[in-house]
Amino acid sequence: MEAASLPAGLELVAGGGAGLSPEKRAVLGSSLLLLQRDYRFERVWFWGCIQGVRGAYYIAEGLGPDRAAPRSRLYSLNCVEWSLLPPATKEMVAQAEQLKGRFQGDPSFEYENTEINAEDAEGLIEDGKELLMKEEARLVATIEQIDRAVGIIPRGAFLKTPLGSVHENRNFEGLSLTEAKKLSSYFHFTEPVNLKNKTLLEKADLDPSTDFLDSLEHDVPQGSWTVQLEKGGTVVVLRSLLWLGLTFYHVPMTKQYGYVYFGTGEKNLDLPFML
């Protein structure tokens, strides 16, 4: 969620029981503004918090003029001092998917093959040596996984230019209440997959400037999102059942929207059996 509207945004997603203490909110409010200035980001988003056994990681994302460009990710253990995370690679993500259990809260902690599924351990041995993974690398990969799977925006909030860059739509005034309650009104803010497989007939009614992403209505498994009205029906809240702790909010007919994650960084693998 937008750093500038952090207090209001956290109030709107507080229905799920997650949030920050008043002290943490105050510290974050000032440190994120300093972060934006020091790194010269155009915008800073507070991504959320991954709770470990011995500590928590507070995550922020820095954006440039092109919103579709790779984002800079930073983490903090105390909401004051921030460290830049390296870009996520396919190898990092593949290795992190095999790890089970909670984060420790220590960036230098190393995971060994004993903490990986026995079936997958063989694939992570290279040149006779066991591959170790630091928790910092697992953190990067987990953030990438969550952003790809459940990082969402309302339809029309961003525009794609003929040159391929993506910018905020200044004319976006929010979804109507009727539209805001539909999953088809929300898009995954990542490289589209399903859109490329659509036929020309299916694409005929799409606006290439706004409908350039995948919508949530075809997410697998079906039922992985809950849509609720809160605050007396004035706020639409979407919660992911695949990555428990991810909450998206939108105030219809306004520009207020955003998502935040408060969880353990573990995927809900039991979801298909719960539906």
Side-chain angles (χ1 to χ4, degrees):
M1 62 176 62
E2 194 77 50
S5 59
L6 185 63
L10 288 173
E11 286 292 335
L12 294 175
V13 299
L20 297 172
S21 65
E23 294 81 5
K24 284 282 191 292
R25 290 189 192 189
V27 172
L28 269 175
S30 56
S31 69
L32 289 176
L33 293 176
L34 293 173
L35 191 69
Q36 182 174 353
R37 182 200 67 184
D38 294 344
Y39 283 87
R40 297 181 181 179
F41 294 134
E42 189 169 291
R43 289 287 178 86
V44 169
W45 285 353
F46 175 62
W47 184 87
C49 171
I50 292 180
Q51 187 67 48
V53 176
R54 298 195 294 265
Y57 296 103
Y58 299 92
I59 316 296
E61 291 186 329
L63 292 83
D66 184 359
R67 297 295 191 261
R71 290 165 240 173
S72 299
R73 297 185 174 115
L74 305 98
Y75 76 93
S76 174
L77 300 175
N78 55 11
C79 298
V80 178
E81 299 168 336
W82 295 88
S83 302
L84 192 64
L85 288 166
T89 63
K90 290 182 179 179
E91 291 76 15
M92 276 185 192
V93 174
Q95 202 171 348
E97 284 177 344
Q98 312 306 331
L99 291 170
K100 306 299 176 187
R102 296 276 302 274
F103 279 79
Q104 296 300 308
D106 177 8
S108 60
F109 179 80
E110 291 185 338
Y111 294 92
E112 298 180 1
N113 284 347
T114 54
E115 293 161 301
I116 300 175
N117 286 343
E119 298 176 4
D120 303 311
E122 296 179 8
L124 298 177
I125 297 177
E126 190 176 48
D127 298 329
K129 297 180 181 178
E130 289 189 350
L131 288 178
L132 298 176
M133 186 177 202
K134 284 195 172 183
E135 184 153 282
E136 186 179 72
R138 185 189 179 190
L139 182 66
V140 173
T142 302
I143 296 170
E144 180 72 16
Q145 282 179 275
I146 295 174
D147 266 345
R148 281 186 196 171
V150 290
I152 60 176
I153 58 168
R155 181 180 184 273
F158 289 83
L159 291 175
K160 187 174 185 178
T161 67
L163 297 177
S165 59
V166 177
H167 303 279
E168 290 183 22
N169 182 4
R170 295 181 181 180
N171 296 322
F172 177 70
E173 294 296 338
L175 301 170
S176 66
L177 182 58
T178 305
E179 290 296 316
K181 291 188 284 186
K182 299 177 182 176
L183 281 180
S184 58
S185 298
Y186 301 96
F187 292 155
H188 288 282
F189 196 33
T190 186
E191 189 69 25
V193 177
N194 297 330
L195 187 66
K196 296 176 181 177
N197 299 326
K198 287 190 175 183
T199 64
L200 290 175
L201 191 61
E202 290 174 317
K203 292 180 180 179
D205 296 329
L206 300 181
D207 184 343
S209 64
T210 55
D211 301 315
F212 57 94
L213 299 168
D214 288 334
S215 75
L216 269 59
E217 62 180 333
H218 301 301
D219 278 14
V220 177
Q222 287 285 337
S224 61
W225 290 96
T226 66
V227 182
Q228 297 167 316
L229 289 176
E230 297 187 0
K231 306 287 185 184
T234 59
V235 182
V236 178
V237 175
L238 278 69
R239 291 189 174 90
S240 173
L241 301 179
L242 185 62
W243 288 94
L244 296 171
L246 190 289
T247 307
F248 172 90
Y249 73 92
H250 176 49
V251 182
M253 306 306 292
T254 74
K255 295 184 178 183
Q256 296 181 60
Y257 68 87
Y259 68 86
V260 69
Y261 178 81
F262 288 102
T264 59
E266 295 174 285
K267 192 175 184 179
N268 182 17
L269 299 176
D270 296 328
L271 179 60
F273 307 101
M274 297 166 63
L275 297 173

